[in-house]
Amino acid sequence: MNEKSIRVFASATVANVASGFDIFGFALTNPGDEVVAKLSDSKGVHIVQITGDNGVLPLDPKKNTAGVSVLKLLKHLNIHEGIELEVHKKMPLGSGLGSSAASCVASVFAVNELLCNPLTIKELLPFVMEGERIACGSAHLDNVAPSLLGGFVLIRSYDPIDVIQIPCSLDLFCTILHPKIEIRTEVARKMLPKEITLQQHVTQSGNACGLIAGLLKNDAELISKSLHDSIVEPVRSTLIPGFKEIKFQAIKSGALGCSISGSGPSVFALSLSKAQAEKIGRAMENACRNHGHECTVYISEINQNGPVVLTC
């Protein structure tokens, strides 16, 4: 059989984006994960190597998010060719940056390329989201969709899947602060309130709609006013040491807004220039370290392109 192989990078993502719990997300340019996919004479999916995970992730494809996603894809296509995968984790696990999503997206995108693109990019969504079910018990799209499609996305519906890309011409930069702690998504989801008030619903809906309008109108002031979460952030922020000070320093340093990335512990802030993003990053880092935690800061543009083929 042809020894054709391909290496693909898929980026980290910011999900929820303050007011859009489970329905908003955007893609970063860094960090991210890389996957090498290769056709094999041995039938089935075989994960031959995982790096950067400290031995935590399983090689069994039925228990691995990337493996599950590719198995679902091959079953759908009724393809029995063998696939070998190498997964190279280049971002922290349990970071709130869509680590499992990046691996799923890179794997499915790579295999679809190997098979000469039998499916469109959007048609890959049901398969990448199945990996998320393994990772956190819920097949949500707010990480995998932006990582796969690029840019800022709205998940309008899950049944049927309806994902809308939101164009924005502003040169937005994202500062990510990742404290060296881990918050498991399933734990963070259990903290969520089962009921909310009508006023909370109205406030959150207004901010969600305002954020979309701000992006479409390239209105930084409206984006800033809309980056507020009155439902999830107050609960989950208790898991992040020094969150209030980190957010205060980000806003003080010029951020349009600041909130939790996904289920945390990473915290994101948006701004309008790289220099501003770096200034915000220094302020957030100092606030985190003042509360006794080591951290990493990433500065990223918004990734408008989705996965990237590195070698083939």
Side-chain angles (χ1 to χ4, degrees):
M1 182 176 286
N2 184 358
E3 292 293 320
K4 183 179 179 183
S5 67
I6 187 171
R7 179 184 289 264
V8 169
F9 168 85
S11 70
T13 48
V14 170
N16 300 338
V17 198
S19 54
F21 178 74
D22 272 7
I23 61 170
F24 289 165
F26 64 83
L28 303 170
T29 55
N30 70 92
D33 286 346
E34 293 179 14
V35 167
V36 178
K38 180 180 178 181
L39 295 176
S40 169
D41 289 319
S42 180
K43 291 184 178 180
V45 176
H46 307 274
I47 301 177
V48 297
Q49 183 183 23
I50 302 176
T51 65
D53 70 325
N54 294 319
V56 172
L57 300 177
L59 290 170
D60 183 346
K62 294 181 180 179
K63 297 179 181 179
N64 182 285
T65 59
V68 166
S69 294
V70 173
L71 284 168
K72 294 284 186 181
L73 174 65
L74 297 182
K75 182 179 180 180
H76 172 79
L77 295 173
N78 196 28
I79 288 176
H80 303 288
E81 291 180 295
I83 300 290
E84 290 184 357
L85 298 175
E86 296 176 15
V87 180
H88 300 289
K89 304 297 295 181
K90 295 180 179 291
M91 54 190 294
L93 305 180
S95 59
L97 295 174
S99 176
S100 59
S103 295
C104 296
V105 167
S107 299
V108 169
F109 183 90
V111 171
N112 193 55
E113 287 276 329
L114 276 181
L115 299 174
C116 300
N117 296 300
L119 298 180
T120 67
I121 296 299
K122 277 200 171 183
E123 287 173 337
L124 298 178
L125 283 169
F127 310 104
V128 293
M129 69 186 290
E130 282 304 313
E132 292 286 74
R133 193 188 304 277
I134 295 295
C136 62
S138 175
H140 55 90
L141 282 162
D142 52 346
N143 286 117
V144 291
S147 185
L148 182 64
L149 302 175
F152 190 100
V153 302
L154 162 67
I155 295 90
R156 190 202 65 81
S157 169
Y158 278 84
D159 186 17
I161 292 174
D162 188 8
V163 174
I164 302 163
Q165 293 171 275
I166 308 296
C168 180
S169 299
L170 288 174
D171 289 327
L172 292 172
F173 283 79
C174 186
T175 304
I176 296 286
L177 175 89
H178 172 59
K180 298 296 179 65
I181 60 174
E182 182 176 349
I183 297 174
R184 296 187 63 82
T185 302
E186 58 267 34
V187 173
R189 292 189 82 90
K190 288 179 181 178
M191 297 180 66
L192 299 176
K194 300 296 187 293
E195 297 179 352
I196 61 172
T197 66
L198 178 60
Q199 186 57 53
Q200 285 177 306
H201 166 71
V202 171
T203 299
Q204 196 84 336
S205 298
N207 282 327
C209 294
L211 182 54
I212 294 173
L215 291 165
L216 290 171
K217 296 173 64 178
N218 302 311
D219 186 334
E221 183 179 356
L222 180 54
I223 291 171
S224 180
K225 290 191 292 187
S226 303
L227 282 170
H228 295 281
D229 175 8
S230 60
I231 297 173
V232 178
E233 182 186 300
V235 178
R236 285 184 169 175
S237 62
T238 60
L239 298 174
I240 304 171
F243 174 80
K244 289 184 179 179
E245 180 65 17
I246 292 167
K247 180 173 180 174
F248 174 80
Q249 292 298 333
I251 301 297
K252 182 181 178 181
S253 299
L256 296 176
C258 176
S259 191
I260 302 169
S261 178
S263 57
S266 292
V267 179
F268 81 93
L270 289 177
S271 56
L272 293 172
S273 73
K274 184 177 181 181
Q276 192 76 58
E278 290 172 343
K279 177 183 177 182
I280 292 164
R282 291 190 292 271
M284 294 171 73
E285 181 178 9
N286 288 337
C288 184
R289 293 185 187 279
N290 286 341
H291 281 80
H293 286 276
E294 293 297 312
C295 56
T296 302
V297 173
Y298 302 97
I299 306 297
S300 174
E301 297 176 82
I302 307 300
N303 171 10
Q304 301 290 352
N305 301 312
V308 177
V309 176
L310 301 177
T311 59
C312 58

